[in-house]
Amino acid sequence: MDTHETSASASVPLDLEPAARRIAGLLGPVGDGRLNGPTPCPDYAVRELLGHLAGLTAAFRDAARKDLGASTAVSPDAALPVLDDDWREVLPRRLEEVAAAWRSPAAWTGMTRAGGVELPGEVAGAVALNELVVHGWDLARSTGQPYAAGEAELRSCAALLAPDEDDPDRGGIFGPPVPVPDDAPLLDRVIGLSGRRPDWRPPGG
């Protein structure tokens, strides 16, 4: 990142680049033989998880740019994600693009849309970061790779995922939180809040 990018990222609430780079770093070891393997997302094999990442990076890139077209209009639950053959070229590029788009202060202002839902820019940015952090963990666990995330990222995710008294099921977007000890690592607590077991491993893994 050059000096200009560093200055720009300092003027926005959250920096998505570390989370995007972590996912990009996980892609190399994902051979074709792993694509049908299970993930912590019950409905997704690794190929669907990668397809979901390809779709959400495009959607949140365009949401940041306020380019509200087809990519931002479709709910992620509308159909099972399809992984295109060129994903090894496309997904790393989209990860770079979504991180760059949210480095613009304008991305965090006004209203935008993602997944067919209208929401404030600052909320969309927090959701985008959460998607990258949690699904990065999913991919790492599914493929037997280590994973860590920064404290600022995790605190943002924890705040977003925490159940609200007025909306305990959080709009049905996330699964029921999995109980995790209060003294567990912050990453484990975030993963529990997302409805996943922090100790999840692939069967036989």
Side-chain angles (χ1 to χ4, degrees):
M1 182 188 296
D2 62 25
T3 303
H4 173 74
E5 290 174 328
T6 302
S7 175
S9 64
S11 63
V12 300
L14 298 164
D15 184 5
L16 275 63
E17 183 172 7
R21 282 187 172 182
R22 278 196 302 274
I23 294 174
L26 295 169
L27 300 179
V30 184
D32 290 346
R34 289 187 179 270
L35 294 179
N36 292 324
T39 77
C41 308
D43 296 333
Y44 287 0
V46 171
R47 69 170 62 251
E48 282 83 34
L49 176 59
L50 291 167
H52 180 60
L53 282 164
L56 76 86
T57 48
F60 282 101
R61 173 200 65 199
D62 295 344
R65 296 172 177 173
K66 310 296 194 293
D67 182 9
L68 307 183
S71 67
T72 66
V74 180
S75 166
D77 298 328
L80 203 61
V82 174
L83 184 64
D84 293 331
D85 292 340
D86 59 355
W87 69 271
R88 293 186 184 279
E89 293 75 41
V90 170
L91 184 50
R93 182 173 70 249
R94 288 188 181 171
L95 287 162
E96 291 180 358
E97 290 171 348
V98 73
W102 286 99
R103 281 199 292 271
S104 169
W108 300 85
T109 64
M111 296 295 293
T112 189
R113 183 179 68 201
V117 178
E118 303 283 336
L119 68 174
E122 62 183 345
V123 175
V127 173
L129 176 62
N130 180 75
E131 290 284 301
L132 294 176
V133 169
V134 173
H135 288 312
W137 181 89
D138 289 334
L139 182 59
R141 280 301 167 92
S142 303
T143 57
Q145 300 183 69
Y147 188 81
E151 183 172 351
E153 299 169 67
L154 292 173
R155 293 203 178 281
S156 172
C157 293
L160 179 74
L161 293 167
D164 188 295
E165 290 184 3
D166 296 328
D167 185 19
D169 68 354
R170 300 165 296 176
I173 298 173
F174 307 106
V178 173
V180 175
D182 291 341
D183 60 353
L186 183 53
L187 176 58
D188 286 1
R189 284 179 273 153
V190 166
I191 294 304
L193 285 170
S194 76
R196 294 155 169 79
R197 291 180 55 90
D199 62 352
W200 187 92
R201 296 287 191 286

